[in-house]
């Protein structure tokens, strides 16, 4: 017991030292799968990962460096050398958000791991090696799939969901049904074992999806009827991946949870309903789109997160304050 108390005190001391000596801006690295990854926005594509849009919920004293990649598991992320590249960039006081599970569940030999053995071992490795670089590891479990079916449809590869077309659905449950099992529990177990910060992203997203219900939760995901969006003429029916709106809802909820668990980050947390970024990391691509979305006679702050734009015309019946991040500007 005394040894455990001494170890916990040592870990706390290291955390305080890292916090007190940290230079701003601090970097938050993200490693994970397609639910967090940066996406191709060419052709006005609508898919987004929550990590892609996380920057909009922090001040410019925090830099989000997202390395999550579509289709990766904890195993393939290591085997492909992606973890080594992240590890080389970590400096003392940086944070590393670690979220895997969706693809570790898959049977493919190049991705599959088992909770309790290989999956846990990879998570431990991320934690240990982050600490060796002076970084602060943060373990997250997987976000939920939107699954209102008592028996989930078999899906050996979530990446194939991008090939689906809209057909409608027949739900047989008004309660969200878990699809992750032990893969959602393992990160919690490893975090406790390693005295690591744990974010229960599974619970956070479960509450969001369940709160919205069967129909409302579709609005978070890549659910589009034929002809509803130019980039998807046949529609799409995808319960795993987020659209622009869904990614922002999840990113904001996770940002709040992260800051609740890590007091040193709380002062950097912020909220904007309207975030403009030319690279797709906001919820609007141009200032004009954001201005058009603001209700009449409403005061609103618009964050210009990324891009150089022409000075927009603001209607007299709208009061808009623009906040600029980094090198973004009007000309």
């Amino acid at each position: 017991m005394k040894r455990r108390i001494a170890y916990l005190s040592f870990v706390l001391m290291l955390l305080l030292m890292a916090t007190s000596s940290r230079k701003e801006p601090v970097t938050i690295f993200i490693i994970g799968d397609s639910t967090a990854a940066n996406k191709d926005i060419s052709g006005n594509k609508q898919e987004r990962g929550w990590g892609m849009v996380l920057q909009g919920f922090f001040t410019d004293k925090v830099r989000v460096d997202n390395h999550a990649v579509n289709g990766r598991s904890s195993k393939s992320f290591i085997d492909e050398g992606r973890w080594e590249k992240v590890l080389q960039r970590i400096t003392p006081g940086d944070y590393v958000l670690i979220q895997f599970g969706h693809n570790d569940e898959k049977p493919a030999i190049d991705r599959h791991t088992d909770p309790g053995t290989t999956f846990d071992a990879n998570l431990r490795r991320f934690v240990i090696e982050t600490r060796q670089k002076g970084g602060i590891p943060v373990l997250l479990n997987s976000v939920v799939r939107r699954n209102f079916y008592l028996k989930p449809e078999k899906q050996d590869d979530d990446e194939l969901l991008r090939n689906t077309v809209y057909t409608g659905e027949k739900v047989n449950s008004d309660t969200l049904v878990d699809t992750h099992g032990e893969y959602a529990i393992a990160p919690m177990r490893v975090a406790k074992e390693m005295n690591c910060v744990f974010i229960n992203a599974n619970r956070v997203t479960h509450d969001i999806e369940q709160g919205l219900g069967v129909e409302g939760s579709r609005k978070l995901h890549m659910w589009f009827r034929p002809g509803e969006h130019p980039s998807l003429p046949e529609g799409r029916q995808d319960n795993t991946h987020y659209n622009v709106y869904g990614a922002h809802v999840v990113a904001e909820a996770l940002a709040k949870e992260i800051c609740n668990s890590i007091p040193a980050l709380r002062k950097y947390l912020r909220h904007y309903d309207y975030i403009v970024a030319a690279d797709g990391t906001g919820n609007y691509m141009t200032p004009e789109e954001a201005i058009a979305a603001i209700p009449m006679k409403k005061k609103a702050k618009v964050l210009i997160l990324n891009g150089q734009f022409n000075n927009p015309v603001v209607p007299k019946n709208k009061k808009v304050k623009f906040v600029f991040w980094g090198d973004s500007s009007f000309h």
Side-chain angles (χ1 to χ4, degrees), residues 198-213:
F198 172 70
I199 305 298
N200 197 336
N202 193 263
R203 176 188 56 77
V204 170
T205 51
H206 171 278
D207 291 350
I208 292 171
E209 304 251 6
Q210 185 64 63
L212 290 171

Side-chain angles (χ1 to χ4, degrees), residues 207-228:
D207 291 350
I208 292 171
E209 304 251 6
Q210 185 64 63
L212 290 171
V214 174
E215 294 189 14
S217 58
R218 291 191 194 117
K219 296 178 181 178
L220 301 173
H221 293 277
M222 289 298 292
W223 267 79
F224 292 90
R225 295 175 179 273
E228 185 177 350

Side-chain angles (χ1 to χ4, degrees), residues 105-126:
E105 303 169 14
K106 306 305 181 184
I109 194 171
D110 61 333
R111 295 190 289 179
H112 183 76
T113 64
D114 291 307
T117 55
T118 48
F119 186 40
D120 295 40
N122 289 341
L123 298 180
R124 289 190 197 98
R125 176 175 174 176
F126 294 137

Side-chain angles (χ1 to χ4, degrees), residues 214-278:
V214 174
E215 294 189 14
S217 58
R218 291 191 194 117
K219 296 178 181 178
L220 301 173
H221 293 277
M222 289 298 292
W223 267 79
F224 292 90
R225 295 175 179 273
E228 185 177 350
H229 195 275
S231 67
L232 295 163
E234 295 183 82
R236 182 163 149 192
Q237 191 163 313
D238 180 342
N239 288 319
T240 295
H241 301 105
Y242 299 118
N243 57 27
V244 175
Y245 171 72
H248 278 264
V249 170
V250 171
E252 181 168 26
L254 290 179
K256 289 178 180 178
E257 196 75 11
I258 289 164
C259 291
N260 284 339
S261 299
I262 305 173
L265 290 177
R266 287 178 191 167
K267 61 184 177 181
Y268 304 126
L269 184 68
R270 66 179 169 197
H271 169 81
Y272 289 98
D273 288 324
Y274 310 95
I275 304 173
V276 175

